[in-house]
Amino acid sequence: MSLAFAQICSGQGQNGEARDPLRQRGRKVMLDETLASAASSASCPTRAAIATELLAEGHALIQAACPLEGIEVLRRALALDPTSLQAHAALGQVLTDQGDLPGAFAVYEAALALDPDHYLMTLKRADLLVAAGFKAEALAAYDRALAIAPRLPAVLSNRGNVLRQLGRFEAALADHDEAVAGDPLDGGLWCNRAAVLGDLGHLDEALASYDRALACRPDHPVILTSRGFILGRLGRFKEALDLHERALALDPGYAVAWRNLAVTLNALKRFQEAAAAYLKALELKPGDPDILFGLANLFMLLERREAAYFLYERLVKVAPDFPFAQGLFFDARLLIGNWQDHDAHVARLEAGLDAARDVVLPFDAMTWNGDPARELALASAYVARHFPAQPALWRGERYGHERLRIAYVGHDFHEHVTPHLMAGVFESHDRARFETFAISQGQKRDQPMRRRLEGAFDHFLDLAHLTAGQVASLMRAHEIDIAIDLKGHTHASEWSVMAHRPAPLQVNFLAFPGTTGAPYLDYILADAFIIPEANRRFFSEKVVHLPISYQPNDRHRVISRVVPTRKAAGLPPTGFVFCSFNKSTKINPAIFDIWMRLLRAVEGSVLWLLAGGSVHADHMRCEAETRGVDANRLVFAPSVPPADHLARMRLADLFLDTLPFNAHTTASDALWAGLPLLTCAGRTFAARAGGSIVHAAGLPELVTHSLAAYEEVARALALDPARCAALKERLEHARSASPLFDTVRFTAAIERAFSMMQARHEAGLPPAHFSVPG
């Protein structure tokens, strides 16, 4: 009966005629009759024999690309013989192949109920748990499999992969080490081992492991592009590019290789090509979170804000728990002025932070979080999860240099807000007492500011081509006494450097307006206004109070001599000009409500904002109209060179600061240009920066401590033009007399801070809070 039975089930006669619906229907009737007869038979051998033939037919149907018919036949085989482990295995596999993971899981569970020690079923169940995302359960299942049978290399490697997904990298590496020892000719095992070495930051070892994988499988696209990714992390971008291109030549449809190619092109500053590679990857894997994330970030860099917004929106839909996706999406919303459900989004982010999830980056949270306790918790958790302390390169040695060696570590030694503030300080350091180093990790740019900065230090080290560990090792080799981080959580690379403890003393300064939460940052430079003594408990660093303000300024900043006319700037010929040139992410509905009330209260007044694109302008105008203000009373200032921007500020009458993220560099820009700035002080560093700067400029009456007082002062000033004119006159005098703009005085103060830190260190005392005398 075997041949005939198989032919009936397959729908093909002895002469190999093709299947057709009528014949299939007739044969199905015959099959049903045969099964009914077997079911009514009391003879177990008959039922088992038919089940065996059904199992063979099920296999044949699956091999003939008829999986649904094969599933039906295998289910009938199990109905006849529920103890057939072969039928369980076959049905579980085809259900898995068809994407029915719950069905497959139920089959394997049933099989294991028959034989709890069945090795294959245990492994299949573990693989399904991995696919379904149940990592802890999968780990237990692999442990069970390894207890049943010898420690097979493939199983060890799979277990190592699960441990890697759980973040247990050292344990994962132990499994992968055992796996490759058991089968050193399996390139896949070496590839898995390399991946976890990359997670651990052992990049050279990862590269060597990928080399072993390629020796086994020289033309495997996964291994090629994975090795290229490690080369990229090592800064060897051109070599990485070659490997990604080789991988894509072998498999043009490999989305991960396109994504890795995009990452490398982005690192090489070939942004348009990177975008094209990301788009190709997205075409191949439309919902891949990593691709959506990378392309959205690139579009943000290219200031394609609307495109970035839609990509982040898509990302949070397909992967709502993707690290930092919710925060980046909210930031993109603010950039284009979309305040729909603003409070609900903030509440969602707060809930995520309170649950200790990676929902928002520390810097991005400052646009809406005014709670210093939450800020410390966020920064500390972020560092612990992503930038934990590495084995310290400095191990207690005493250097005893004739001059104190200080190193400024950053990415932005070019035209950037940080050098605009710091360039004069770099130049003013006392070279008889201090030996200065620039540790530049950003790409070199041929700009006047870059050339100026290269001449401002004793040693300018261009280290963009080195990894963070290599940079840290070089700093240790130079015996740096004090390392000053100029980026904080605004850029990751410095954190990888500082985590290696390359210097005895490490300082958080200027760029990141808050605590880092990092145990390897010893001090933060601040002032008594921006971090009052009562707020020190919200900082992981010890607080150093500088005598005037935490913020330096460069007296050499140029203001264009040509001030545009109001008409040229897009302003009306008459009327009071409120302005706020803060980034649009700092503007929120509560502060905008106040601004609109001011426009309604001051006839003929306008609000001057930075242009953020047509979509942003449309949203802002709509928000104004909603609040009863003519949209034409909002004016948008296009991007211009810094000197021209400072000059046009003189057309405004009053700068309105934001809360909870004040103006920082923008505040000193306004005051340097002679434009009075009204601020409101909150509780966090970011919410008190404006007050620190305005106090240092000698205008304490422009620092308020509630939004109600802020609105009242703004209205009073706008209705009293003579008072505003007097404030402008005071600022003109302040440019030459105010300590805010005294670069030499500030440099002397920061040098005293460094000397006091070093004196404590040499005395064997730990870092402590202190104030620098004026």
Side-chain angles (χ1 to χ4, degrees):
M1 167 180 162
S2 298
L3 177 59
F5 193 80
Q7 289 169 340
I8 289 170
C9 291
S10 66
Q12 181 176 352
Q14 294 185 23
N15 297 324
E17 70 268 24
R19 299 169 52 132
D20 68 64
L22 290 176
R23 285 178 177 162
Q24 180 65 12
R25 192 179 304 117
R27 288 162 181 164
K28 186 176 187 301
V29 170
M30 295 172 63
L31 171 61
D32 290 341
E33 290 173 353
T34 304
L35 291 174
S37 174
S40 63
S41 172
S43 171
C44 288
T46 300
R47 294 165 63 90
I50 294 176
T52 300
E53 295 209 23
L54 284 171
L55 175 61
E57 175 57 20
H59 277 301
L61 285 166
I62 292 165
Q63 292 173 357
C66 301
L68 298 181
E69 293 93 330
I71 289 170
E72 181 182 355
V73 171
L74 290 173
R75 289 194 186 281
R76 294 186 180 207
L78 278 173
L80 287 172
D81 184 4
T83 65
S84 173
L85 291 174
Q86 287 181 303
H88 279 95
L91 180 58
Q93 186 61 59
V94 70
L95 288 171
T96 300
D97 294 341
Q98 291 299 300
D100 183 2
L101 300 190
F105 189 79
V107 170
Y108 292 135
E109 289 273 89
L112 287 169
L114 296 170
D115 182 359
D117 292 332
H118 196 285
Y119 183 64
L120 177 62
M121 300 299 179
T122 303
L123 279 183
K124 293 290 187 182
R125 179 177 177 274
D127 293 341
L128 279 180
L129 286 165
V130 172
F134 296 101
K135 303 179 185 70
E137 294 85 348
L139 183 62
Y142 282 126
D143 287 341
R144 175 68 180 155
L146 289 168
I148 295 169
R151 298 173 69 82
L152 297 179
V155 179
L156 284 164
S157 190
N158 285 346
R159 182 178 184 273
N161 289 341
V162 174
L163 285 166
R164 180 191 177 209
Q165 293 175 29
L166 289 168
R168 296 170 56 185
F169 301 126
E170 294 289 355
L173 182 59
D175 275 357
H176 289 306
D177 284 345
E178 188 176 348
V180 296
D183 188 359
L185 298 181
D186 187 328
L189 302 183
W190 285 105
C191 190
N192 289 342
R193 178 178 183 270
V196 77
L197 284 166
D199 294 329
L200 286 165
H202 303 163
L203 302 186
D204 290 329
E205 293 178 66
L207 203 59
S209 196
Y210 279 127
D211 288 340
R212 291 293 298 269
L214 283 174
C216 302
R217 306 182 73 174
D219 293 322
H220 198 287
V222 173
I223 301 172
L224 286 167
T225 194
S226 298
R227 185 178 188 274
F229 189 79
I230 293 295
L231 284 170
R233 290 181 62 187
L234 286 165
R236 295 161 60 179
F237 300 119
K238 292 183 179 179
E239 296 172 72
L241 193 64
D242 177 65
L243 287 179
H244 299 321
E245 289 174 343
R246 283 175 57 191
L248 288 168
L250 291 165
D251 184 0
Y254 186 23
V256 172
W258 282 107
R259 185 202 69 197
N260 289 348
L261 175 65
V263 170
T264 302
L265 290 166
N266 187 34
L268 290 168
K269 310 298 182 187
R270 293 163 58 176
F271 299 127
Q272 298 304 326
E273 293 172 82
Y278 269 128
L279 289 168
K280 180 62 177 178
L282 196 61
E283 177 187 328
L284 294 165
K285 293 186 72 175
D288 185 272
D290 288 317
I291 298 169
L292 288 167
F293 181 74
L295 182 56
N297 290 344
L298 176 58
F299 279 164
M300 194 68 82
L301 178 69
L302 296 174
E303 297 192 354
R304 295 175 60 180
R305 296 171 176 176
E306 293 83 6
Y309 165 81
F310 288 115
L311 287 166
Y312 285 131
E313 182 180 43
R314 187 169 165 190
L315 174 60
V316 298
K317 286 180 180 177
V318 301
D321 294 326
F322 191 88
F324 311 113
Q326 295 285 351
L328 290 166
F329 175 48
F330 187 69
D331 191 63
R333 286 168 53 91
L334 294 177
L335 273 175
I336 64 170
N338 182 349
W339 295 339
Q340 185 177 4
D341 300 324
H342 182 274
D343 291 342
H345 278 276
V346 170
R348 191 177 302 119
L349 291 172
E350 288 177 337
L353 289 185
D354 294 341
R357 299 201 313 270
D358 279 337
V359 295
V360 62
L361 293 164
F363 186 77
D364 292 342
M366 291 176 176
T367 60
W368 50 267
N369 174 56
D371 181 352
R374 180 180 280 126
E375 189 173 90
L376 173 60
L378 167 58
S380 300
Y382 177 70
V383 166
R385 283 197 288 265
H386 301 283
F387 300 101
Q390 302 299 309
L393 295 174
W394 176 76
R395 298 185 177 90
E397 300 88 347
R398 296 298 179 92
Y399 296 145
H401 301 134
E402 184 178 342
R403 294 188 296 164
L404 194 64
R405 295 183 182 178
I406 59 174
Y408 291 95
V409 185
H411 260 71
D412 301 316
F413 292 97
H414 52 78
E415 290 289 348
H416 186 270
V417 293
T418 299
H420 288 169
L421 297 174
M422 284 292 294
V425 174
F426 298 148
E427 293 167 335
S428 299
H429 272 306
D430 182 351
R431 300 306 172 80
R433 296 169 48 230
F434 295 89
E435 186 175 0
T436 60
F437 293 74
I439 307 298
S440 175
Q441 294 180 264
Q443 294 295 317
K444 184 172 182 177
R445 305 182 188 185
D446 186 18
Q447 299 170 332
M449 177 60 82
R450 175 61 174 235
R451 293 190 290 273
R452 178 184 174 189
L453 295 172
E454 287 177 348
F457 292 88
D458 292 311
H459 311 277
F460 192 101
L461 305 181
D462 187 352
L463 305 181
H465 60 291
L466 299 184
T467 64
Q470 291 169 333
V471 171
S473 295
L474 189 60
M475 290 172 65
R476 171 61 187 84
H478 280 288
E479 297 186 353
I480 299 301
D481 292 302
I482 302 177
I484 303 104
D485 169 41
L486 290 178
K487 289 302 290 183
H489 292 311
T490 63
H491 200 288
S493 295
E494 283 73 21
W495 287 99
S496 299
V497 171
M498 294 296 181
H500 290 276
R501 176 62 76 169
L505 295 172
Q506 302 190 157
V507 180
N508 170 21
F509 178 47
L510 192 61
F512 184 71
T515 184
T516 61
Y520 40 82
L521 267 289
D522 305 300
Y523 290 102
I524 181 171
L525 295 179
D527 59 60
F529 183 90
I530 209 162
I531 306 180
E533 287 190 18
N535 282 12
R536 286 174 174 173
R537 68 186 188 275
F538 301 123
F539 288 77
S540 61
E541 309 89 343
K542 298 303 179 184
V543 177
V544 176
H545 282 164
L546 297 174
I548 303 298
S549 173
Y550 84 102
Q551 191 186 77
N553 273 280
D554 177 19
R555 279 194 182 277
H556 299 295
R557 275 186 299 167
V558 176
I559 303 177
S560 176
R561 293 182 179 180
V562 179
V563 178
T565 63
R566 288 175 65 120
K567 181 178 181 181
L571 297 168
T574 59
F576 194 89
V577 178
F578 295 104
C579 83
S580 187
F581 289 144
N582 282 344
K583 190 176 180 182
S584 58
T585 51
K586 296 183 180 183
I587 303 173
N588 55 54
I591 207 77
F592 196 76
D593 286 343
I594 294 173
W595 294 351
M596 295 303 100
R597 288 198 294 269
L598 290 172
L599 290 185
R600 293 201 303 269
V602 182
E603 186 178 354
S605 62
V606 296
L607 176 63
W608 201 11
L609 302 171
L610 286 179
S614 59
V615 173
H616 170 260
D618 288 345
H619 277 136
M620 290 294 95
R621 291 186 176 108
C622 181
E623 294 289 345
E625 295 279 4
T626 301
R627 291 162 174 80
V629 174
D630 183 351
N632 292 321
R633 295 178 69 183
L634 269 57
V635 181
F636 295 93
S639 178
V640 295
D644 294 336
H645 178 59
L646 291 172
R648 73 180 173 186
M649 277 190 176
R650 293 180 165 178
L651 297 175
D653 295 297
L654 181 65
F655 190 114
L656 297 173
D657 203 1
T658 48
L659 189 76
F661 203 151
N662 289 169
H664 292 62
T665 305
T666 304
S668 58
D669 283 348
L671 297 170
W672 180 250
L675 173 61
L677 182 141
L678 176 67
T679 190
C680 184
R683 299 173 60 210
T684 63
F685 188 122
R688 299 182 67 82
S692 167
I693 295 163
V694 171
H695 266 294
L699 299 174
E701 66 268 40
L702 294 184
V703 181
T704 63
H705 296 273
S706 72
L707 288 177
Y710 168 90
E711 182 174 356
E712 182 181 348
V713 172
R715 184 186 298 108
L717 287 171
L719 295 174
D720 189 350
R723 187 177 168 194
C724 276
L727 288 171
K728 286 193 171 188
E729 286 183 15
R730 286 168 62 186
L731 279 176
E732 283 298 322
H733 176 69
R735 289 186 62 208
S736 59
S738 167
L740 178 64
F741 302 119
D742 191 336
T743 307
V744 173
R745 180 173 178 174
F746 180 90
T747 306
I750 200 174
E751 287 177 345
R752 287 195 296 275
F754 294 151
S755 296
M756 293 171 73
M757 293 176 195
Q758 184 68 10
R760 287 191 60 84
H761 171 68
E762 289 178 350
L765 299 173
H769 304 300
F770 66 84
S771 295
V772 178

